[in-house]
Amino acid sequence: MSSLPVLPFIVITGPPGVGKTTLVCKLMKQLQEKQVSVAGFYTTEKRDTHGNRIGFNIVTTEGMTAPLAAIKSDGDGTRLPMIGRYAVDVVGFERVALPLMEKASSAGVAKASVFIVDEVGKMELLSDTFCRALASLLDQRRCALLLTIPVAGRGRPLPVVERIRGHPHALLVTLNRSNRNDAALHHRLLEALTPH
């Protein structure tokens, strides 16, 4: 009996602001242009009229948007969990992210060829349900995966992130200011994610 092919599993890491999400969105657009079915979500920054970052949104490949986190203002009585100065909307995040993740790891349903999770970080890991859905995605491997994770060495290690970083089938790409616009690197990642 022949074994199943190992599906692509690309993990992009790098410091904040280096362009991980920009690269993910570029790859997503190029895959869609090649008629590759893509699902998942990515994170965008929310900024005020002065350009200051005030939070983050989750955006799905289907165009749904939900708040992930926002700077908690003085006197705000909400009891959302905090990561640094950001109050994290776990319920809003779960509402848009989890249905896509569950669909991607379920047998017998139409699913994408590539699934994107941008990113697996402290905010997202506040959701136990997200952690279980992510574990299912990693274990089931019913589609190619494109994930982003924080760079190593920034704060206390996150076990889920370290599991991804050390996964035997993961191609770990460390993005930096020297290679973030490298056309050859982008092409290699695009080719790896394109079904042949």
Side-chain angles (χ1 to χ4, degrees):
M1 183 173 170
S2 63
S3 61
L4 294 172
V6 176
L7 292 164
F9 180 11
I10 296 173
V11 179
I12 299 172
T13 189
V18 77
K20 297 185 296 292
T21 299
T22 300
L23 177 56
V24 164
C25 290
K26 181 177 180 179
L27 289 169
M28 178 183 72
K29 182 179 178 189
Q30 291 173 322
L31 287 165
Q32 290 170 332
E33 288 170 354
K34 294 175 84 166
Q35 306 300 310
V36 176
S37 174
V38 181
F41 59 88
Y42 56 94
T43 309
T44 60
E45 294 182 344
K46 292 192 292 188
R47 295 191 175 268
D48 64 17
T49 55
H50 303 291
N52 301 310
R53 188 172 66 195
I54 57 172
F56 300 92
N57 284 330
I58 290 293
V59 181
T60 72
T61 51
E62 298 173 351
M64 291 180 59
T65 302
L68 172 61
I71 293 176
K72 187 174 181 181
S73 59
D74 291 337
D76 183 352
T78 59
R79 298 200 179 269
L80 296 174
M82 300 292 294
I83 297 291
R85 61 188 185 144
Y86 294 98
V88 182
D89 185 349
V90 175
V91 173
F93 166 65
E94 290 177 341
R95 186 174 58 250
V96 298
L98 292 179
L100 293 170
M101 296 178 77
E102 289 162 0
K103 184 176 178 181
S105 60
S106 297
V109 297
K111 53 192 157 292
S113 298
V114 178
F115 195 85
I116 295 169
V117 179
D118 171 49
E119 81 179 274
V120 180
K122 288 181 181 179
M123 292 180 182
E124 295 81 2
L125 293 175
L126 287 172
S127 167
D128 292 336
T129 314
F130 168 77
C131 292
R132 288 192 296 273
L134 181 63
S136 181
L137 270 178
L138 296 176
D139 293 340
Q140 299 294 327
R141 299 292 310 283
R142 298 184 187 279
C143 54
L145 297 176
L146 175 60
L147 278 60
T148 66
I149 59 173
V151 69
R154 296 182 63 91
R156 187 172 12 180
L158 302 168
V160 174
V161 171
E162 295 313 307
R163 177 185 174 204
I164 293 167
R165 191 185 316 278
H167 195 286
H169 295 136
L171 169 62
L172 185 66
V173 177
T174 302
L175 211 59
N176 55 50
R177 296 195 184 280
S178 298
N179 69 1
R180 65 182 179 181
N181 295 316
D182 184 340
L185 172 63
H186 295 190
H187 180 73
R188 285 196 302 274
L189 297 178
L190 180 64
E191 284 301 299
L193 290 165
T194 302
H196 297 287

